[in-house]
Amino acid sequence: MLKKIGHFIVGKILYRVTEYDKKDLSNGSYILCPNHVSDADGPVMWVNNDNIRILAKKECFKNKLFAWFLEKINVVQIDRDRHSGAELLSAINYFSDGKNKIFMLFPQGTISDINKNKLTRIKPGAFYVSAKSNVPIIPVFLEQPRLFRKTRVVYGEEIHLDDAIGIDGKIDRKKIEEYRLKWQQEIFKLQEKAVTYGRKPIRKLKLKPKHQNNNE
């Protein structure tokens, strides 16, 4: 019921979400990796995907009532200033029971303009989780949500990191870097598709001053 209400209010009224090229995600496990353009990104993705767990910054959990709500809808907090690796291990273990599940991570780590990002802005966490769990990444282009305006969301093809782990079982960091670049390039392609599908340019980003220079 909560999902249905959220889908109607967030997806149909507030942000008018229109999805393109989305495959059936109910028959497997996936890691959704959208670009990160606003605080509304998480809710937009949550209302349109079942059985999804989202990793969010700890600041979202300051309000006790809102924190309770986030936990109810399967949002997990991460301390971006003190990475212990526990969050990524939890994400890997999330897929260990073999059930069909979705985990969402923002490779950019924080809100920024993907078109201005250097490769160093693309964090390796999602790619480590994918390689270790053998769960494919699906790149997603997300147009910056604006109230009462159409929001285009375009899903890409699966990215499998089968060759990112060596015969010794260790992560190949060079391969991870290659996949980080591949993800970014796929987002660019999906952005172009969004323009074609929507028959108009992507709306210009409006970022708060603290996010405008988050490119490195």
Side-chain angles (χ1 to χ4, degrees), residues 31-36 55 103-112 114 117-127 137-140 159 179-181 183-184 187 214:
I31 300 170
L32 297 185
C33 289
N35 56 310
H36 199 5
L55 206 59
F103 202 101
M104 194 184 82
L105 290 158
F106 293 112
Q108 290 163 278
T110 188
I111 295 170
S112 61
I114 188 68
N117 286 168
K118 293 183 179 180
L119 188 59
T120 49
R121 164 50 54 197
I122 314 304
K123 305 303 180 183
F127 306 92
I137 283 174
I138 295 182
V140 183
I159 298 176
Y179 282 112
R180 288 160 62 198
L181 178 59
W183 173 83
Q184 186 179 36
I187 295 297
N214 287 339

Side-chain angles (χ1 to χ4, degrees), residues 122-166:
I122 314 304
K123 305 303 180 183
F127 306 92
Y128 277 108
V129 173
S130 177
K132 283 290 189 180
S133 63
N134 197 30
V135 173
I137 283 174
I138 295 182
V140 183
F141 172 74
L142 179 62
E143 184 175 25
Q144 188 175 54
R146 300 273 177 82
L147 287 174
F148 312 118
R149 296 182 66 183
K150 180 178 178 180
T151 298
R152 287 168 281 189
V153 181
V154 186
Y155 290 74
E157 296 296 325
E158 298 176 19
I159 298 176
H160 293 264
L161 279 73
D162 301 334
D163 60 348
I165 297 183

